[in-house]
Amino acid sequence: MRLQLTDPRLSPERLQLLGALAQADRPLMMREVTARLGTTPRAVTALVDGLEGDELVRRSAHPTDRRSVLVELTTAGTSLLHDAGAGLGRAAEVFGVLAAADQRTLLDLLGRLTVALAEQEPAHASRQPPADAGT
């Protein structure tokens, strides 16, 4: 699989959760994931729901604690995490040709463009004619 930086499965939060599971090298209880990520149980549940829907993690019952749910990486999750690491390494090599000051400038410019595009999107959408206009 070729990693695309726009892959919707690869938000920073999702990568962080996948990385936490990989580092643990064992299934984690949901509360352990919450603690490792420093977030809320609700946020972890939403992340796990999405990752499970994408078949990147799986939930299972804890063998001795009926109230606990375990989360673990699937083979697809492990593969995606590996590809993401390789892709980020390649990106670091590409951006490594820029001096540190140039990298900061590029990040600043990209951040400003992202904000400007986000601000324009609602206005642009409201100017679009309805899909059935002209029929």
Side-chain angles (χ1 to χ4, degrees):
M1 176 186 154
R2 184 172 179 161
L3 175 70
Q4 300 221 356
L5 295 178
T6 58
D7 188 325
R9 299 175 301 169
L10 296 176
S11 71
E13 296 82 10
R14 284 175 155 222
L15 280 173
Q16 187 179 14
L17 193 149
L18 293 172
L21 292 173
Q23 285 179 340
D25 202 29
R26 65 175 172 81
L28 293 176
M29 289 185 283
M30 292 284 281
R31 69 175 165 259
E32 289 178 298
V33 175
T34 300
R36 286 176 186 232
L37 299 183
T39 189
T40 65
R42 179 179 282 190
V44 169
T45 298
L47 284 170
V48 171
D49 285 348
L51 290 167
E52 189 175 40
D54 289 339
E55 299 180 352
L56 300 173
V57 302
R58 86 177 122 259
R59 288 181 171 113
S60 60
H62 191 284
T64 59
D65 183 350
R66 292 184 325 172
R67 297 174 296 160
S68 293
V69 173
L70 296 173
V71 183
E72 64 183 315
L73 284 173
T74 62
T75 302
T78 300
S79 177
L80 182 65
L81 191 59
H82 179 268
D83 290 347
L88 292 172
R90 286 190 302 274
E93 289 175 17
V94 169
F95 287 99
V97 302
L98 298 174
D102 292 336
Q103 290 179 25
R104 286 190 296 275
T105 299
L106 178 60
L107 286 173
D108 177 58
L109 292 171
L110 290 172
R112 287 194 266 164
L113 285 172
T114 301
V115 169
L117 287 171
E119 289 172 352
Q120 288 180 358
E121 186 62 32
H124 179 69
S126 66
R127 287 183 280 179
Q128 295 294 320
D132 61 352
T135 56

